[in-house]
Amino acid sequence: MSVYAISDLHLDFSKEKPMDVFGENWIKHEEKIFESWKSKVKEDDLVLICGDISWGLKLEEAYKDLLRIDNLPGKKIISKGNHDLWWQTKAKLKELELKSIYFLQNDNYQYENIAICGTRGWASKDSDEFSEHDEKIFAREVNRLDISLRTVEKGVDKKIVMIHYPPFNFKDSSPNEFVDVMKKYNTDICIYGHLHGEGHKFVVEGEIEGINFYCTSSDHLNFDLKKII
């Protein structure tokens, strides 16, 4: 069994939001992702997707994109991104009856000896436009990550955190409070996305505070799934 990761798929079944407005590398990006997926992933593999799945605004719109993912090989673990406005309660998502997708929300997914945890995260506190309202969201997301990691039962060999926003401060790339929570629960790997184009200059990867970090934004990976285990 292998574990792959990618985020920021920005799928659009309606074809109303072409991503190539953000650069030529985004031309036919969906096809690139699906070709990579089919060439690498086997049915017993895991694929972790940390946010920005579909441009659909409502669940019924995003369903068509989720169905495309569901029909790809492997078991998929999905967490929420800032553009996933279609995201609903756990009960509503379960009603979709997708056969190979698990929606991560205030819990964890355990497969063999690996526990997958996570939350959306939020912009760093030292961002220029960070407000009192952002402070409340930030604190809530930190708590949600704590809850997710707290649900893991003893005995797992690896803990992986999925978070959409980079868990680093904006100005000096130092680890922020989300990393403090990861350390508290002995996290092994963290994947994150959100950064595109010129934002790639803020990518932080490698072993930090005993945790291996990977940026899995689809354009950062050149739309090629990354094997992390």
Side-chain angles (χ1 to χ4, degrees):
M1 185 269 290
S2 298
V3 180
Y4 293 91
I6 192 167
S7 65
D8 303 86
L9 305 184
H10 290 292
L11 302 180
D12 177 29
F13 190 84
S14 71
K15 304 302 181 187
E16 293 177 357
K17 289 187 74 75
M19 289 295 291
D20 54 18
V21 297
F22 297 104
E24 291 185 0
N25 60 321
W26 284 92
I27 295 174
K28 294 186 177 181
H29 82 285
E30 293 185 2
E31 288 88 341
K32 296 175 187 176
I33 292 170
F34 294 154
E35 286 174 9
S36 169
W37 195 312
K38 292 174 182 177
S39 69
K40 291 183 173 185
V41 180
K42 297 179 175 59
E43 286 300 335
D44 61 344
D45 292 337
L46 290 183
V47 181
L48 312 183
I49 313 172
C50 55
D52 284 6
I53 316 299
S54 169
W55 279 116
L57 297 177
K58 298 179 180 180
L59 188 56
E60 55 265 30
E61 296 171 352
Y63 175 74
K64 295 177 180 178
D65 289 322
L66 292 169
L67 193 59
R68 289 196 284 168
I69 294 172
D70 195 41
N71 288 327
L72 290 166
K75 176 73 178 179
K76 303 92 186 181
I77 316 302
I78 291 180
S79 59
K80 186 179 181 180
N82 61 303
H83 287 297
D84 293 319
L85 303 179
W86 50 268
W87 194 280
Q88 297 289 323
T89 63
K90 194 83 170 178
K92 285 286 186 182
L93 295 172
K94 192 174 182 179
E95 287 176 3
L96 298 176
E97 297 184 342
L98 298 166
K99 62 182 183 295
S100 66
I101 294 178
Y102 185 87
F103 295 97
L104 197 63
Q105 191 165 327
N106 298 330
D107 58 358
N108 79 88
Y109 179 85
Q110 188 168 332
Y111 188 70
E112 295 184 356
N113 62 338
I114 300 171
I116 317 294
C117 304
T119 191
R120 176 186 56 184
W122 201 243
S124 64
K125 290 183 176 180
D126 62 347
S127 301
D128 293 336
E129 298 178 356
F130 197 86
S131 66
E132 185 176 338
H133 176 67
D134 291 310
E135 183 77 46
K136 294 177 181 178
I137 299 174
F138 189 97
R140 184 180 67 203
E141 288 295 314
V142 169
N143 185 56
R144 283 177 171 170
L145 179 58
D146 191 285
I147 291 171
S148 178
L149 282 160
R150 202 188 313 157
T151 63
V152 178
E153 297 180 1
K154 294 180 180 179
V156 300
D157 293 334
K158 281 192 182 298
K159 294 178 184 176
I160 301 175
V161 162
M162 302 168 60
I163 187 168
H164 183 67
Y165 284 86
F168 303 100
N169 292 313
F170 177 71
K171 294 179 179 177
D172 64 1
S173 298
S174 59
N176 64 20
E177 289 88 334
F178 289 101
V179 178
D180 292 339
V181 175
M182 296 180 210
K183 288 169 56 183
K184 175 182 174 183
Y185 293 97
N186 301 313
T187 299
D188 298 285
I189 295 171
C190 172
I191 63 170
Y192 66 92
H194 190 66
L195 300 176
H196 303 298
E198 292 188 7
H200 291 164
K201 64 185 178 184
F202 298 109
V203 167
V204 178
E205 294 187 300
E207 185 175 337
I208 301 167
E209 307 279 1
I211 303 167
N212 286 303
F213 290 90
Y214 300 95
C215 177
T216 59
S217 300
S218 61
D219 56 328
H220 179 65
L221 298 179
N222 198 27
F223 311 100
D224 186 18
L225 275 70
K226 184 176 186 66
K227 182 187 282 190
I228 61 171
I229 294 180

